[in-house]
Amino acid sequence: MKPNVIIALLVGGVIGFAVGKMVAGPNANNAAPAIAAANAPAAPGAKGPAPAARPGGDDQTVFKVPLDASPVHGNNGALVTIVEFSDYQCPFCSRANTTIKQVEQDYGDKVRVVMRQFPLSFHQNAKNAALAALAAGEQGKYWEMHEKLFGNQQALDAASLEKYASELGLNLEKFKADMQSPKLADIIGKDQAAGSQVGVTGTPAFFINGRKISGAQPIQNFKTVIDQELAKAQGMVAAGTKPEGLYAAIMDKAQNAPAAAPAAAPAPAVRNVPVPADAPARGANPAKVTIVMWSDFQCPFCSRVEPTVKQILDTYPNDVKVVWRNEPLPFHANAKPAAEAAMAANEQGKFWQMHDKMFSNQQALDRASLERYAQEIGLNMDQFKSALDTGKFRAKVEADAAAGNEVGANGTPTFYINGKQLVGAQPFDAFKQVIDAELANANKLIASGVKVEDVYARAIADGAKAAPAAPAGAPPQAAPPAPAKVVDNIDISHAPVKGPKNAPITIVEWSDFQCPFCSRAVPTLTEIEKTYGNKVKVAFKNQPLPFHSNARLAANAAMAANEQGKFWQMHDKLFANQQALDRASIEKYAQEIGLDVNKFKAALDSNKFDAEITKDSQEGMQAGANGTPTFFINGRMLVGAQPVDAFKTIIDEELKKKK
């Protein structure tokens, strides 16, 4: 694969990691496809949506956000009302819940929180969880269930929901009856409609006295807006507005729906990424190229990229330095203790030894295991334990994460190569292309008299100067909507197809059996097939991504099953067992679906379908499918694990054309 194609796989937020923002509206065509960072809510490595424009800065827009009869936590006379649109299965919402609780603790009666339900369609348990919270609310325990759900995001099945209800002392018969109540389902529908009306396209979304903050942003971003709104509210009260009527008074003058968005300023090609003097580093010193990486010891994508980092250091021993910064993700229970343990080892000069131990043992990062690794690498155990017990390096770890957020490191791993961002567990060639370009630039700077130790600062400064700027005094212009890409004449003559040959709608999917986002799209397509029946046919094209170690084998297995007329049975087996796509498991699936196993094995041994899979991938890239999943609906491109309504919008439009 050419380096420029590899770079094309980089979307940076999304997956994700998601970004990663979970897209819920039919027009939200930026739902992250599965790419290098795998930026998605369900995928480890995704931290959350990239922050919008800095809250409290230029965006003072106040949206009209009704409260209706939504659950309220706090004083009805509070000067600041925070309305949250949330999804109980969304990891970013769980992370933000911790932030909101801290806000409530810090501001007391000055703030109240109102919850509105916004379950995303690709979270299979999200709607039932929302129903469970509302059903608990029918018995006066909404907020208790709210905390149960966010505290147990991996267990939101029906049995678990009933267990939580029982633990809260609810009347189970009433709880189960309310879960089925059209009244509660209607509340969720109204909440989603209300959110869409004010521009909510992902979760979490917050409106602070009507001012919007998108995503799991740092608490300081919330405090900036809250403090501004408190000052305004105090002025209104002083002028005679009663606190209980304050929110209504603000809403009277609020905007009904988002105005057309101004054209976004282009992201800087080079970011001013700080390199603390005490950050762990290895490689050349001074270096012509400095790579600052934000990483998480419990993140599987971070583990996957470590051999690539080693290859970089081995390839450029005299030119490249790698600097480590901590980004423990909130849904990795052991990531923060592991980060603190690494910094405690750093204090004793053994960061990289502890680093290697933890990445070699990602499934065992509990306290006892961390102490064992410390002992194995020869640390002073009393000093090490004391550092963990006292939280000596907690602030340092949190400062690293905050610094990452400031420069746009919204998932792990994220790298900055002389300030140029590269997201995810990318292959070596993706790094090499950027490193080589930066080396050439560094050599020019050195030839002009810049000292090697000053190259990094100069590269950052020059990059900032080169960033395009808006003309001074130019008014913001509405960004014209980008036309959806249409690709005609996609060849599906050799692709597995299901549905009538003469169906008016053809959906061509480029997919990867190891991609979690592709798995998420499977039930969406199933729903589309049920809804539209013989009006739709679906064709499958293979696009195994290079950093998914079993994806190509799985693609070969699917095509070998196709040869025996059982592609879709194998397709379903592979997506249902994404964590077990090794050769032995795949042969087991072949046996289970009744294939001639000897013929199947021979096809795999001979790589019989490898050329066809490569051709699929190349055709996908030529069409613009640079990540998975990517769909073409009668040639109209739709990227990522989008909600079912996004598909329906295009399908309905295409059906009207046919009429």
Side-chain angles (χ1 to χ4, degrees):
M1 187 177 293
K2 295 179 180 179
N4 63 326
V5 173
I6 296 170
I7 292 296
L9 291 173
L10 175 60
V11 175
V14 6
I15 185 233
F17 236 195
V19 128
K21 186 164 69 174
M22 309 313 102
V23 178
N27 297 322
N29 288 335
N30 61 333
I35 46 153
N39 281 352
K47 177 182 174 183
R54 173 72 63 198
D58 297 330
D59 187 5
Q60 302 288 329
T61 306
V62 176
F63 296 118
K64 192 181 292 293
V65 186
L67 305 184
D68 295 335
S70 305
V72 178
H73 194 249
N75 174 18
N76 282 334
L79 300 183
V80 173
T81 297
I82 302 175
V83 183
E84 175 180 357
F85 290 85
S86 195
D87 170 318
Y88 285 110
Q89 199 174 351
C90 161
F92 310 122
C93 299
S94 176
R95 172 184 168 200
N97 187 51
T98 303
T99 303
I100 292 299
K101 286 194 289 185
Q102 186 63 50
V103 164
E104 291 181 292
Q105 183 177 323
D106 292 349
Y107 287 90
D109 287 346
K110 295 176 183 177
V111 164
R112 65 174 172 167
V113 176
V114 179
M115 286 296 299
R116 305 209 65 170
Q117 312 302 319
F118 208 88
L120 303 177
S121 60
F122 46 78
H123 285 155
Q124 62 182 13
N125 293 321
K127 188 169 183 179
N128 278 344
L131 287 168
L134 294 173
E138 292 291 294
Q139 299 185 48
K141 293 196 174 180
Y142 175 87
W143 294 101
E144 292 87 340
M145 180 62 83
H146 169 92
E147 291 302 320
K148 281 277 188 187
L149 298 172
F150 274 137
N152 297 277
Q153 280 197 315
Q154 304 311 311
L156 296 179
D157 56 285
S160 297
L161 297 178
E162 288 183 22
K163 178 169 75 86
Y164 307 146
S166 180
E167 290 170 355
L168 293 174
L170 301 184
N171 178 321
L172 281 180
E173 291 307 311
K174 176 172 172 51
F175 174 79
K176 287 192 275 189
D178 286 338
M179 283 274 293
Q180 303 300 320
S181 164
K183 169 189 165 185
L184 300 189
D186 187 52
I187 288 172
I188 293 172
K190 287 179 179 177
D191 281 359
Q192 290 175 312
S196 296
Q197 176 67 23
V198 290
V200 175
T201 57
T203 59
F206 303 89
F207 292 84
I208 301 173
N209 279 4
R211 289 174 59 190
K212 186 178 180 183
I213 288 183
S214 294
Q217 298 215 17
I219 193 170
Q220 189 55 51
N221 290 9
F222 286 85
K223 287 186 172 183
T224 298
V225 180
I226 291 169
D227 290 344
Q228 291 175 357
E229 291 306 308
L230 269 177
K232 292 179 191 175
Q234 287 161 351
M236 291 174 69
V237 170
T241 304
K242 293 182 179 179
E244 293 78 6
L246 185 68
Y247 187 74
I250 293 170
M251 290 298 102
D252 280 345
K253 298 180 179 179
Q255 183 172 296
N256 279 311
V270 177
R271 308 199 186 195
N272 186 6
V273 180
V275 181
D278 60 348
R282 58 180 169 178
N285 189 21
K288 296 177 182 177
V289 176
T290 298
I291 302 176
V292 184
M293 66 182 291
W294 267 269
S295 191
D296 168 319
F297 289 105
Q298 201 174 349
C299 161
F301 305 97
C302 299
S303 176
R304 182 181 299 159
V305 81
E306 281 297 316
T308 304
V309 174
K310 183 178 185 303
Q311 186 178 358
I312 290 168
L313 291 169
D314 290 343
T315 305
Y316 302 96
N318 301 314
D319 297 317
V320 172
K321 173 171 69 175
V322 173
V323 179
W324 172 279
R325 302 207 69 175
N326 294 287
E327 183 100 63
L329 302 180
F331 44 89
H332 288 153
N334 292 321
K336 198 166 188 178
E340 291 182 36
M343 299 314 294
N346 186 58
E347 183 182 31
Q348 298 187 44
K350 293 194 174 182
F351 173 88
W352 296 106
Q353 293 91 322
M354 178 61 86
H355 162 283
D356 293 347
K357 279 282 183 186
M358 291 194 292
F359 272 129
S360 297
N361 298 278
Q362 278 195 313
Q363 304 311 309
L365 297 178
D366 56 286
R367 175 64 183 259
S369 298
L370 295 177
E371 289 182 7
R372 188 174 79 249
Y373 307 149
Q375 195 163 31
E376 289 171 357
I377 65 174
L379 295 186
N380 177 318
M381 291 305 297
D382 289 339
Q383 186 179 349
F384 177 79
K385 289 179 183 179
S386 174
L388 296 193
D389 291 338
T390 61
K392 182 175 182 179
F393 296 102
R394 192 163 301 148
K396 167 65 178 169
V397 170
E398 291 172 352
D400 272 2
N405 191 81
E406 286 292 325
V407 296
N410 298 306
T412 57
T414 298
F415 302 85
Y416 293 90
I417 305 171
N418 277 8
K420 292 184 177 177
Q421 188 186 64
L422 191 65
V423 179
Q426 298 266 359
F428 174 75
D429 283 346
F431 287 87
K432 186 176 189 299
Q433 184 181 27
V434 184
I435 291 169
D436 288 345
E438 288 305 306
L439 268 180
N441 182 54
N443 287 331
K444 288 179 183 176
L445 290 173
I446 292 166
S448 71
V450 176
K451 294 179 181 177
V452 177
E453 54 265 34
D454 296 331
V455 162
Y456 181 75
R458 179 64 180 271
I460 297 292
D462 288 352
K465 289 177 186 175
Q477 299 295 316
K485 182 170 183 177
V486 179
V487 179
D488 295 321
N489 302 319
I490 296 175
D491 180 14
I492 59 170
S493 58
H494 299 289
V497 177
K498 58 179 172 178
K501 185 176 181 181
N502 62 347
I505 302 297
T506 299
I507 301 175
V508 184
E509 173 187 8
W510 265 272
S511 191
D512 168 318
F513 288 106
Q514 200 174 350
C515 157
F517 306 94
C518 300
S519 175
R520 183 183 299 155
V522 171
T524 302
L525 286 180
T526 300
E527 187 175 342
I528 290 295
E529 292 170 69
K530 287 179 181 176
T531 302
Y532 290 94
N534 61 10
K535 295 177 181 177
V536 168
K537 67 179 174 184
V538 177
F540 188 99
K541 301 278 243 178
N542 290 287
Q543 193 170 49
L545 301 180
F547 43 85
H548 286 155
S549 57
N550 291 322
R552 197 167 190 90
L553 172 61
N556 272 285
M559 299 312 293
N562 186 57
E563 183 182 29
Q564 298 187 44
K566 293 195 175 183
F567 173 86
W568 296 104
Q569 294 93 319
M570 180 61 83
H571 165 282
D572 293 347
K573 280 282 185 184
L574 296 172
F575 275 127
N577 297 276
Q578 281 194 314
Q579 305 310 310
L581 297 180
D582 55 286
R583 176 67 184 258
S585 296
I586 283 174
E587 288 182 8
K588 184 182 74 167
Y589 308 147
Q591 194 165 29
E592 289 171 353
I593 65 175
L595 296 185
D596 178 331
V597 175
N598 288 332
K599 183 177 180 182
F600 176 80
K601 289 181 180 178
L604 295 191
D605 291 339
S606 64
N607 292 319
K608 183 174 183 178
F609 299 100
D610 206 59
E612 186 175 337
I613 291 165
T614 298
K615 185 180 178 185
D616 272 2
S617 293
Q618 291 172 343
E619 287 175 354
M621 289 173 188
Q622 288 168 2
N626 296 312
T628 59
T630 298
F631 304 88
F632 291 87
I633 304 172
N634 281 11
R636 291 171 62 180
M637 188 163 74
L638 189 66
V639 179
Q642 298 262 7
V644 70
D645 283 348
F647 287 82
K648 285 182 175 179
T649 298
I650 298 177
I651 291 170
D652 290 344
E653 289 173 358
E654 290 300 308
L655 286 173
K656 285 181 182 177
K657 290 180 187 177
K658 296 291 181 182
K659 288 180 182 178

